[in-house]
Amino acid sequence: MRSWLPGGLGYLVLLGTVAFWWGGLVFPVILGLIFPEVLSGSEIYEALNPERDGSLTNGVSSAALLVLAVLACLNVVVGRRRAAGGIDWLGWVVLALAAIFLVAEEFDSFIFKGRDIVAVAGQEAHWLLLTSPLIVTFLIAISHLIYRYRKDRDFTFLMSIAILAWMLAILHDGGPDFLLERYSWIRTMKGLLEETLEFSGMLLISLSAVIALGGKELGILRRRLLVSAVAGSLAIVAVLGILAGTSAFGVRLIDTRHDPGSAGGFYVALHDEMSAIQELRGPEFPIKRLRIRLADQGKFKRPMSLTWRVIDGGTDGEFLREGRLDIATTDDLGWRSIEFDPPLSGLEGRRLGLQLVADVETGSHIRVSATKANLYPEGRLWVNGEPTWPGQSLQIMAYSPPELTRTKLRALWQMLSSDWRWPAVLADLTVSLTLILVVPVLLMVCGWHGLRVGRLLSGLR
């Protein structure tokens, strides 16, 4: 009984860890993005955000890293006892040092008082470039470990998947952002995938270290299991993609913003009863939602509001829709939504105008974000009846309805085919999501077979 008790306790810890991370973080956030009216993924993600120092997930991640460091150190000791070559146990030394470094990185706010470890080494250097020698050294050491244990198929497989997960996490963290900086839901997915891939790699490497300690295969590598796990994960990813694309995702039809990294941003200050009109060209598809961006303007004493109107003809014409956007004193300014029920339709090619009229206290104003580097040439910006310089525009986005329709599918296809980066983002999301869905299956199977880990480790005495 004593021989399997450590393995049984370890399995329960592993089961609780998987339930916490995947059940409490991964799936709620994904479902919250697809069904925001049912579950707000952004609120959950902020509460459990593993990138935020001091969060519960940050502590769980750090604990997993500590366990990994301990297991790597045990393999150093056992490797020397078994008279393995120095270069063999040196790989475990590199792994232990990497785990310790990442633990320090998790707690950088406590160690460096809020300053990032890489920022301490060089304020201007990009962290991926700065740490590339360490990453290369780590990969060489791990590659040698995989070669060293190549006859142990379980070890080789789990370690290879773990390294793939870590490399994808590094690319998500330090690689090019593609379209991520322009789409908030993709930014949320990027952070979630990065941290989950990193956490998955920790757990898989830890299991590989346990297998190396035991010196025996657990027999977890089963072709039927792997095929079923991968096929099931791909099916889940496909279902999630279809739900996101056809039920919750609104295609962006109008975008008057400049690139986030470029210069040219400014704001239009609207005092009481002042107005701004942004001319737009009616898109081919119905408009369900317009979003405008308000600039930060510090504290204000009483609630403010914007009266908005959609004008047929640009600056003069019939009011197609109008309403009021209230802003409370406690609101965080930023992107605000204007919903159309029913959606605006039948506007293809027509000149439209979005008018904003401020209702604020005397001496105050509302700042509306604008750009001098607009790539949207379909209309001018007017402030109090006067045209501004060509190329200036309020920052506005318009979206199609989220419901699945024939026009929605056409708009979605046009968006995906409009930029080569979209297929790259979708491929990245597919591979990453499939991997983080396969990992829990592998962990559970490894943990179940690992009930014998007590007997395996007993041979170390």
Side-chain angles (χ1 to χ4, degrees):
M1 179 176 180
R2 292 180 180 178
S3 63
W4 61 262
L5 183 57
L9 293 176
Y11 179 66
L12 290 177
V13 172
L14 181 61
L15 181 63
T17 302
V18 171
F20 167 77
W21 195 281
W22 274 265
L25 177 66
V26 175
F27 290 111
V29 170
I30 293 176
L31 291 177
L33 290 173
I34 297 176
F35 304 109
E37 70 281 358
V38 177
L39 187 64
S40 178
S42 60
E43 293 179 3
I44 293 176
Y45 189 70
E46 284 306 313
L48 296 176
N49 189 354
E51 296 181 300
R52 181 167 55 86
D53 292 320
S55 67
L56 181 57
T57 46
N58 180 260
V60 172
S61 178
S62 300
L65 282 169
L66 285 173
V67 171
L68 175 57
V70 170
L71 290 171
C73 291
L74 286 175
N75 272 282
V76 172
V77 175
V78 172
R80 299 193 66 179
R81 182 186 300 177
R82 291 172 177 169
I87 194 172
D88 291 334
W89 57 263
L90 187 59
W92 291 112
V93 172
V94 173
L95 181 58
L97 292 176
I100 293 171
F101 173 82
L102 290 174
V103 170
E105 178 69 13
E106 292 287 349
F107 288 101
D108 62 350
S109 64
F110 302 104
I111 299 174
F112 294 100
K113 297 181 180 179
R115 300 177 66 191
D116 188 82
I117 287 178
V118 176
V120 173
Q123 292 289 342
E124 301 299 329
H126 192 283
W127 78 267
L128 187 58
L129 179 63
L130 187 64
T131 59
S132 57
L134 299 177
I135 295 174
V136 172
T137 302
F138 174 79
L139 288 177
I140 292 174
I142 297 302
S143 299
H144 181 76
L145 282 177
I146 293 175
Y147 177 77
R148 164 73 174 79
Y149 293 91
R150 63 189 181 279
K151 294 182 180 179
D152 190 327
R153 296 184 303 163
D154 293 338
F155 179 93
T156 302
F157 176 74
L158 292 177
M159 187 68 83
S160 299
I161 296 297
I163 297 309
L164 173 61
W166 269 14
M167 291 301 99
L168 285 174
I170 290 174
L171 289 177
H172 280 136
D173 191 23
D177 282 335
F178 294 112
L179 299 175
L180 304 183
E181 73 279 5
R182 301 192 67 134
Y183 296 84
S184 60
W185 66 271
I186 301 185
R187 284 198 302 272
T188 300
M189 284 298 300
K190 177 189 176 187
L192 176 68
L193 292 177
E194 173 202 334
E195 295 297 329
T196 303
L197 288 168
E198 182 180 310
F199 189 67
S200 300
M202 294 178 210
L203 298 180
L204 291 176
I205 294 176
S206 296
L207 288 173
S208 302
V210 171
I211 293 174
L213 284 172
K216 299 178 183 178
E217 277 197 57
L218 293 179
I220 61 174
L221 197 56
R222 297 288 186 268
R223 178 180 177 83
R224 181 178 300 176
L225 169 67
L226 292 178
V227 171
S228 300
V230 173
S233 299
L234 284 173
I236 294 174
V237 170
V239 170
L240 292 176
I242 292 173
L243 288 174
T246 61
S247 299
F249 180 71
V251 179
R252 189 170 296 169
L253 306 175
I254 298 174
D255 190 345
T256 68
R257 299 173 303 160
H258 66 282
D259 290 331
S262 64
F266 71 105
Y267 64 83
V268 175
L270 298 180
H271 294 264
D272 192 38
E273 297 186 359
M274 287 182 62
S275 72
I277 298 178
Q278 175 62 53
E279 292 182 344
L280 304 168
R281 182 67 59 183
E284 179 182 356
F285 309 104
I287 300 176
K288 173 62 176 178
R289 179 165 54 110
L290 275 176
R291 300 194 76 196
I292 60 174
R293 189 175 186 179
L294 304 181
D296 185 20
Q297 55 195 16
K299 302 292 183 181
F300 45 95
K301 298 179 181 179
R302 71 174 180 85
M304 302 181 295
S305 66
L306 282 171
T307 298
W308 59 266
R309 302 183 181 97
V310 178
I311 304 174
D312 190 9
T315 57
D316 297 306
E318 178 185 357
F319 293 169
L320 298 178
R321 300 287 174 84
E322 61 180 323
R324 187 180 184 91
L325 187 63
D326 294 320
I327 307 168
T329 56
T330 57
D331 286 351
D332 292 327
L333 300 182
W335 288 101
R336 308 303 292 264
S337 294
I338 299 172
E339 302 285 340
F340 300 120
D341 188 17
L344 286 168
S345 59
L347 302 176
E348 181 180 358
R350 288 161 64 176
R351 193 160 63 96
L352 305 174
L354 176 65
Q355 183 183 36
L356 303 175
V357 182
D359 180 8
V360 298
E361 60 188 357
T362 303
S364 184
H365 61 273
I366 297 178
R367 299 178 181 179
V368 185
S369 291
T371 174
K372 300 177 183 178
N374 179 31
L375 301 178
Y376 179 81
E378 302 294 343
R380 297 284 297 274
L381 171 62
W382 299 71
V383 177
N384 285 337
E386 298 294 331
T388 61
W389 291 99
Q392 294 186 353
S393 159
L394 299 181
Q395 297 198 52
I396 296 173
M397 295 181 290
Y399 293 87
S400 70
E403 295 79 14
L404 177 60
T405 61
R406 185 177 301 176
T407 56
K408 166 72 177 292
L409 291 176
R410 287 173 51 212
L412 188 62
W413 171 252
Q414 287 188 8
M415 183 194 70
L416 294 178
S417 60
S418 66
D419 195 318
W420 66 269
R421 293 174 295 179
W422 268 114
V425 168
L426 292 180
D428 170 66
L429 291 176
T430 300
V431 173
S432 299
L433 279 172
T434 301
L435 187 57
I436 68 171
L437 291 176
V438 168
V439 166
V441 178
L442 293 176
L443 292 174
M444 290 298 94
V445 172
C446 291
W448 180 255
H449 285 271
L451 288 172
R452 295 180 292 167
V453 76
R455 291 197 298 271
L456 290 178
L457 296 182
S458 64
L460 303 178
R461 298 173 184 174

